[in-house]
Amino acid sequence: MSGDLPASSPLWISAFLDLAAEELERGTAFWAQVTGTTLSTVRGERAEFTTLVPPDGDDHLRVQRRDEGPSRVHLDLHVGDQATAAEHAERLGAEVVHTAEEGYVVLRSPGGLTFCFVGHPASRRSRPTTWPTGHHSQVDQLSVDVPRRLLEAELAFWRDLTGWRLRRTAYEEFHLLEVPAGQPLQVLVQRLDDDAPEVSVHLDLTTDDVGAELARHVALGARVVTSHDHWTVMADPGGLRYCIAGDPPDDDVPA
């Protein structure tokens, strides 16, 4: 897109692990260990929120207890004016689900993905974690998983919502949003070939030693679901899926 960025263009992106109540304790401990973070003080009216605090930089991963429904992931877009951003999102086809007294706004994308506009300031990207084996890893990407029938509308929505350039990759099922330098999370839009009822999102973790990283996750209670050339699909101890990748595909061509 050209010209000024829309009011909904994120200044920062963070991800929320919405963990089912019965999986909260185990899942929170697992993700803190996997990411090398510490847990903040629990907060919220119902003590439902926790932040995974990195050793340096600003956080971009948080945990929320989900009292109904299975575990999932949603994304938070940090903007200067949540109300104005929500109005723009509605014009693009999003639905406002809830406007909180604290100022944040919960929405659903045209394809049904839950996301929020929040106002928490952040700007310092944390460094990858170095493990005792000497290898490094970091959760650094959100994958928006879109059923084929919803793909065209969802691609247009996220492009126009963020104001970021959309690029195809050498893999026909993947599109990348060109996030500004310094953002903690890249955004990948993945076409699903199954008939999922709505759009979902999962986390991707990259590493410079896939074998060592896989072994570390399995030792912490994760399991391997499927292996591909460039990534491995994992499930955390409660069954929430995510991916581990080495060097992610970067052979991009214009969309």
Side-chain angles (χ1 to χ4, degrees), residues 20 29 35 83 157 223 225:
T35 57
F157 174 76
R223 62 182 176 88
V225 178

Side-chain angles (χ1 to χ4, degrees), residues 220-233:
L220 290 171
R223 62 182 176 88
V224 174
V225 178
T226 57
S227 296
H228 303 270
D229 289 343
H230 293 284
W231 68 91
T232 301
V233 181

Side-chain angles (χ1 to χ4, degrees), residues 84-98:
T84 301
E87 290 173 1
H88 181 64
E90 283 188 290
R91 290 193 293 270
L92 295 174
E95 174 192 1
V96 172
V97 176
H98 175 67

